[in-house]
Amino acid sequence: MNIETAGFGALVIVAIMALVTLATRWGGVYVMAFVPIGYRVKQFIGAMSGSVLVALLAPMALEGDTAARLALLTTAVTMLVLKKPLPAIAAGVLAAAAFRQFGL
Amino acid sequence: MHGINEELHRFDRYTVWAGFRTLVPISMFVVIFGAAFGLAATQAGLDDSIILAMSGLVFAGAAQFAALELWGSHVPLATLVVTVFAINARHLLMGATLYQWLQHLPRAKRYGVMLVASDANWALSMQAFGNRQPGMGLLLGGGIALWAAWVAGTWIGILFGGAIQDPRMLGLDMVMGCFLLAMVVGGEKNLRVLMIWTVAAGASLLAYRYLPENSHVVAGAVAGGIAGTVCPEKTREH
């Protein structure tokens, strides 16, 4: 099912996002009142939260133009070296900008 | 519970205010991230009021950026729900780890403080509880500081976003991708995590090519989750 983003639809989308997020903020506490969350479930949740980001990024890196790939590469390397997200994001964006301004 | 721990869950306006002040420096960075989101959301074509409503009501950076990725004239509902749930699933673990202190609070307070639970204030409150200090003030007060910074930053981003003529030439279309990537790379890195990422990326790309549009997010998230269950951490719980 698709929701139109024009007019009222966008607000519905935000409301759905808010409810889903609220369910995650309350769900852990709620479930713990009945059964402790087990080791396997914790492993699944932990692995899934990182994987969803990777799943979003993979096609972006594969289908993106050279500037996009350069930006992602720069962010990854800067993040590995400095371990600080802000400079890493800034470096990636700058790399894309530089490539497009003076680009090939 | 041990007698001494029983008081740790208590909080009043003084500890909440102290928690708020503790998180103010980190919140300055959150303002910048919020601005990046506001900017990216403007480019994605969202109305200003919708962007502000999203930051105010959802208050979850990575999930909001991911939603922009799905944004078009229509948004696929099931994909959106699974994506937001999967990214925010770590909140489930936050609630679970805080439960031993939250359980002493009356229901309204217990769920009330969780409204503003996010990475930074959760980590600090867990640290405080671990050191046998009261942590609820950090969770609630710190959370309020982070929330206010996120909304204020978003608003700043919207103001800038409207003023920029050609965001693509400035590389600003990459803010979202670079943000998500920095979150991935900034996390734990070992052979197990690398294996999980590889499975997730592989499943995502296969689904991207062969399955219906937007199913790659779900495919990658589930495949990575299963990979993590099949190959559990060997050493310690967290």
Side-chain angles (χ1 to χ4, degrees):
Chain A
M1 192 187 136
N2 286 307
I3 300 181
E4 217 176 315
T5 50
F8 190 64
L11 204 60
V12 173
I13 294 167
V14 169
I16 291 170
M17 287 177 67
L19 284 177
V20 173
T21 308
L22 193 60
T24 61
R25 287 204 165 99
W26 284 354
V29 182
Y30 184 77
V31 171
M32 282 293 278
F34 302 101
V35 270
I37 293 179
Y39 182 66
R40 290 251 162 208
V41 178
K42 277 188 190 165
Q43 295 287 312
F44 182 83
I45 293 174
M48 188 178 66
S49 350
S51 295
V52 67
L53 301 180
V54 173
L56 273 166
L57 285 164
M60 222 187 273
L62 196 76
E63 306 279 312
D65 61 349
T66 314
R69 288 182 203 174
L70 188 67
L72 293 176
L73 184 70
T74 310
T75 294
V77 171
T78 315
M79 191 65 198
L80 284 172
V81 174
L82 297 180
K83 299 187 178 13
K84 291 195 181 102
L86 224 46
I89 296 165
V93 169
L94 278 175
F99 188 87
R100 287 188 184 135
Q101 298 278 352
F102 315 108
L104 316 164
Chain B
M1 290 270 44
H2 318 290
I4 193 163
N5 275 357
E6 240 158 60
E7 302 306 311
L8 292 184
H9 65 275
R10 291 184 187 280
F11 63 94
D12 51 31
R13 60 195 151 115
Y14 301 105
T15 52
V16 171
W17 175 233
F20 184 93
R21 280 177 314 188
T22 307
L23 268 289
V24 163
I26 301 175
S27 298
M28 294 300 116
F29 289 98
V30 174
V31 170
I32 304 176
F33 284 122
F37 171 73
L39 201 69
T42 321
Q43 290 168 42
L46 281 74
D47 282 345
D48 295 359
S49 56
I50 292 295
I51 302 171
L52 269 180
M54 195 191 282
S55 279
L57 296 173
V58 180
F59 178 46
Q64 290 179 225
F65 270 102
L68 296 185
E69 178 64 19
L70 299 172
W71 209 271
S73 64
H74 289 79
V75 169
L77 181 61
T79 310
L80 178 79
V81 167
V82 175
T83 305
V84 171
F85 181 83
I87 294 177
N88 288 329
R90 64 188 196 291
H91 290 142
L92 294 169
L93 298 179
M94 293 180 195
T97 48
L98 286 166
Y99 182 73
Q100 55 173 311
W101 296 284
L102 286 169
Q103 63 178 335
H104 303 296
L105 294 174
R107 186 162 305 189
K109 279 189 179 176
R110 190 192 305 170
Y111 289 107
V113 294
M114 283 306 288
L115 283 175
V116 289
S118 69
D119 300 278
N121 55 337
W122 167 77
L124 284 174
S125 67
M126 285 300 287
Q127 197 180 39
F129 283 129
N131 295 330
R132 297 185 162 261
Q133 286 160 356
M136 284 304 164
L138 281 165
L139 187 67
L140 180 58
I144 293 169
L146 294 170
W147 179 85
W150 179 244
V151 175
T154 301
W155 182 67
I156 294 170
I158 293 171
L159 293 184
F160 273 100
I164 293 170
Q165 295 297 324
D166 188 358
R168 209 175 157 276
M169 280 308 276
L170 298 173
L172 293 175
D173 58 320
M174 291 311 295
V175 169
M176 171 175 49
C178 292
F179 174 90
L180 295 177
L181 185 62
M183 295 297 111
V184 173
V185 179
E188 204 186 342
K189 290 175 290 292
N190 53 44
L191 204 61
R192 172 176 179 267
V193 171
L194 203 65
M195 190 272 299
I196 293 170
W197 290 354
T198 311
V199 171
S204 163
L205 289 177
L206 281 176
Y208 189 77
R209 179 150 299 176
Y210 298 110
L211 295 180
E213 207 181 349
N214 286 317
S215 61
H216 63 283
V217 186
V218 181
V222 173
I226 292 171
T229 321
V230 172
C231 169
E233 277 172 289
K234 287 188 187 79
T235 43
R236 56 203 167 85
E237 279 265 324
H238 54 260

